[in-house]
Amino acid sequence: MEKAFHHLHKAADADNAYAWYRLGRLYLSDEYKDIGRAVRYLTLAANRKNEFASYRLGKLYLAGEEVVKNVELAIRYLEESAGVGNQYAQYVLGKVNLMGREVEQDKEKAYEYFRLAAEQGNVYAAYFLEHWNDMPHPDLLLMATRLMHHLEKIMEDDVSGKKGGRRAGMDRKLARKIKNKKIAQGHARDDREEMVQTQ
């Protein structure tokens, strides 16, 4: 990794947009976490029309967990990425428009983004389209797709024979989210009581 960083930094210093993107991704990883550097490199790559950098920045600003939440900037980056055919950005924009939390709900726009993503093989977008009229509340579809995504990762790890590694990182991330949710529900930070589902 030391050599990889050395060469990526050399390429980045030579204004290589792919190197900027790769460095941004590496600085987002748990092992090399540096959000400031990640955002800087991803922004450089996104300004060079790197659709994957735009997608990552959009997700970061939309989540607002490691950077200050900025929905307007998030949507701009996601739309740039989706506009050049990035199925992941199209899927996220479909969810955002369907849920109507960050932006005003627009089911027609959501359906179109899901359709575009599904045409490229995005199974989660296809799931939303297949069940478009089945469930009265979109939150149920969202929970189902999240469950499918987590099960897919678990099966990938089991098939590849991984022990810990990515899965352990995912478990830590999930534990952090659960803890934050418990605190939001009024539990003390060191509370060991089971979380109560409110919806």
Side-chain angles (χ1 to χ4, degrees):
M1 282 308 295
E2 191 177 320
K3 283 185 179 183
F5 270 106
H6 171 76
H7 290 294
L8 282 170
H9 278 288
K10 274 183 79 169
D13 291 343
D15 294 343
N16 182 301
Y18 181 74
W20 290 334
Y21 169 68
R22 291 303 305 158
L23 283 168
R25 286 290 309 275
L26 283 168
Y27 286 125
L28 282 178
S29 71
D30 288 336
E31 194 172 349
Y32 305 104
K33 181 80 74 180
D34 185 332
I35 295 302
R37 283 182 170 181
V39 169
R40 186 176 79 224
Y41 283 121
L42 290 172
T43 302
L44 287 168
N47 289 342
R48 284 274 188 88
K49 307 299 182 207
N50 182 303
E51 69 184 83
F52 302 106
S54 294
Y55 165 71
R56 290 285 169 195
L57 283 170
K59 291 263 301 188
L60 269 175
Y61 285 116
L62 191 62
E65 293 172 359
E66 298 175 304
V67 297
V68 175
K69 186 168 184 147
N70 186 332
V71 174
E72 185 178 320
L73 190 56
I75 299 301
R76 190 189 91 206
Y77 279 124
L78 289 168
E79 285 177 345
E80 284 175 10
S81 184
V84 293
N86 185 294
Q87 66 167 301
Y88 307 108
Q90 291 165 346
Y91 171 68
V92 170
L93 285 168
K95 287 194 311 184
V96 166
N97 282 283
L98 179 64
M99 301 308 289
R101 290 185 187 139
E102 282 83 11
V103 299
E104 188 175 330
Q105 187 180 48
D106 187 335
K107 288 187 174 183
E108 288 179 23
K109 198 183 259 189
Y111 189 91
E112 182 59 18
Y113 278 124
F114 286 140
R115 185 189 65 75
L116 291 169
E119 284 178 356
Q120 296 184 69
N122 188 300
V123 294
Y124 306 112
Y127 182 84
F128 269 97
L129 294 176
E130 288 169 19
H131 299 279
W132 192 254
N133 296 314
D134 293 354
M135 295 184 205
H137 205 285
D139 277 344
L140 298 174
L141 285 173
L142 186 59
M143 284 189 288
T145 58
R146 283 183 181 153
L147 178 61
M148 288 178 0
H149 179 73
H150 287 300
L151 289 173
E152 177 186 16
K153 295 299 176 201
I154 290 169
M155 287 188 280
E156 280 177 8
D157 289 350
D158 287 347
V159 168
S160 65
K162 288 184 184 177
K163 302 283 185 219
R166 179 177 176 178
R167 189 171 177 178
M170 182 177 69
D171 291 343
R172 281 193 303 275
K173 187 175 181 181
L174 180 59
R176 186 174 68 240
K177 284 185 176 184
I178 290 171
K179 182 178 180 181
N180 289 339
K181 187 139 190 160
K182 285 174 73 173
I183 291 168
Q185 291 179 356
H187 291 262
R189 288 189 178 278
D190 60 350
D191 192 350
R192 302 280 184 235
E193 184 181 335
E194 290 297 313
M195 182 176 69
V196 177
Q197 189 67 34
T198 57
Q199 287 184 326

